[in-house]
Amino acid sequence: MGIDHTDSTNAEVDFKSSPYSGFPSTLINRSRDQEFTKKYFNHNKTFLSGVLDTQKSGLIGYSMGGYGAIKSAGGCYHFSDQNINKFMGVKDIKVANDIKNLLNKCPSEKQRMSHWDAVIAMDPWGEAYRLFSLDSLAKITTPLLYVAGDLDDVADYKSIVKLYNNTGSKNTFLLTYENARHNTAPHPAPAIAYKNAFDLGHYDEPTWDTQKLNTINKHFALAMMDCYVKNIAKQCKYLSLPERSNADEDHPWFGFDKRYSVGMEWKSKMGH
């Protein structure tokens, strides 16, 4: 399922003239949208009911979707009073405290243990502002793949590495695209986006070709979902890789052709 989130377009989130027009809704509802979608299709009769395995599910989120996906995996938020003011623009202290308590509410231990079978957080936003509870990250058990560009100037690459280092799942991975910024996961920019630098900035990646990025992303998404959602053991070998993609040109990363396994790094805590 692909979610068309409310309050998430440029028209809805106008930082220039109305900085709080839609962003608070995104912060509060992104993980909730993910949870709602899963529960809806698991518990309601739909046109997909005959083909869904309601006992197994994976989640992929990019940027703000990654921010939500970490929460959905059990990595609770830890918004401070300062961040509530910064991102919400709320001046009423009682309202601000209510919002903070809503955002920082954590799932129960039972919910964390029985939720998603695999999660991919691509360029996840948030930890640059210390929005995640490190204690809750350490309790995550869901297999989790982080994807990021090492020059990410939106989500901040060092902050994503921090998320990886503090995630407790014994199957945690970090795929890094060298010399990439934040746009490692969008689809190619539509023609209209080229009329405005701000719009194009949501799609374009300065160094990497978008189609190549998406092809690699699909490769690792398939490996994660096959390995941990479908439990196809032989597919897990695509996640057991040397740290440097071009360390040995004669032996490229498994799944990559010779000469095409370049420009990437792989970190893993893999225990199955």
Side-chain angles (χ1 to χ4, degrees):
M1 296 81 180
I3 305 173
D4 185 5
H5 297 280
T6 304
D7 302 322
S8 293
T9 68
N10 287 349
E12 295 164 329
V13 187
D14 185 352
F15 286 104
K16 185 175 181 180
S17 60
S18 183
Y20 305 112
S21 58
F23 197 49
S25 173
T26 297
L27 294 177
I28 293 171
N29 293 318
R30 189 50 52 96
S31 178
R32 285 177 169 80
D33 287 350
Q34 296 165 352
E35 299 293 339
F36 170 84
T37 302
K38 177 184 177 182
K39 290 177 182 177
Y40 178 84
F41 283 99
N42 278 357
H43 300 292
N44 291 276
K45 187 173 179 59
T46 71
F47 68 100
L48 292 174
S49 297
V51 296
L52 287 181
D53 180 351
T54 59
Q55 303 303 310
K56 306 286 288 184
S57 54
L59 174 62
I60 302 173
Y62 162 65
S63 195
M64 296 308 302
Y67 153 91
I70 295 171
K71 171 67 178 291
S72 295
C76 304
Y77 300 139
H78 186 63
F79 278 77
S80 65
D81 293 337
Q82 293 78 9
N83 282 330
I84 292 295
N85 181 266
K86 178 181 180 68
F87 298 120
M88 301 290 181
V90 177
K91 296 182 179 179
D92 185 298
I93 295 177
K94 182 181 183 305
V95 174
N97 283 333
D98 287 345
I99 292 173
K100 184 176 72 171
N101 291 335
L102 177 65
L103 282 164
N104 291 348
K105 184 178 180 181
C106 274
S108 68
E109 184 72 21
K110 182 179 179 180
Q111 289 172 318
R112 283 201 303 271
M113 294 296 288
S114 61
H115 232 36
W116 300 92
D117 296 284
V119 169
I120 303 176
M122 313 182 80
D123 307 289
W125 180 88
E127 188 49 30
Y129 302 96
R130 299 181 180 179
L131 297 188
F132 290 96
S133 159
L134 298 185
D135 288 342
S136 68
L137 287 173
K139 295 177 182 178
I140 290 176
T141 58
T142 301
L144 205 162
L145 167 62
Y146 293 99
V147 179
D150 65 0
L151 298 180
D152 190 327
D153 54 349
V154 175
D156 181 55
Y157 178 67
K158 290 182 179 179
S159 298
I160 297 172
V161 173
K162 180 181 175 183
L163 290 171
Y164 164 80
N165 287 334
N166 284 277
T167 297
S169 173
K170 64 181 181 180
N171 296 300
T172 306
F173 310 91
L174 171 61
L175 170 64
T176 299
Y177 290 110
E178 296 175 349
N179 298 314
R181 290 200 181 275
H182 185 65
N183 295 338
T184 68
H187 59 71
I192 194 172
Y194 286 88
K195 296 181 179 181
N196 183 294
F198 180 76
D199 289 336
L200 186 60
H202 286 300
Y203 302 94
D204 195 44
E205 183 54 47
T207 301
W208 282 76
D209 173 74
T210 300
Q211 183 174 346
K212 185 173 291 185
L213 285 169
N214 283 331
T215 299
I216 297 171
N217 290 338
K218 286 188 287 185
H219 168 80
F220 283 107
L222 182 62
M224 282 290 291
M225 299 306 160
D226 276 352
C227 179
Y228 296 112
V229 178
K230 294 186 176 182
N231 293 323
I232 304 174
K234 66 180 182 179
Q235 299 299 84
C236 300
K237 61 188 175 183
Y238 290 99
L239 303 170
S240 182
L241 303 170
E243 182 170 351
R244 299 281 299 173
S245 65
N246 50 328
D248 185 349
E249 292 187 2
D250 292 325
H251 297 88
W253 276 0
F254 189 74
F256 287 78
D257 287 338
K258 188 175 180 180
R259 298 181 67 245
Y260 287 91
S261 173
V262 294
M264 297 169 287
E265 293 184 358
W266 183 259
K267 293 184 182 297
S268 67
K269 295 176 273 186
M270 193 174 185
H272 294 299

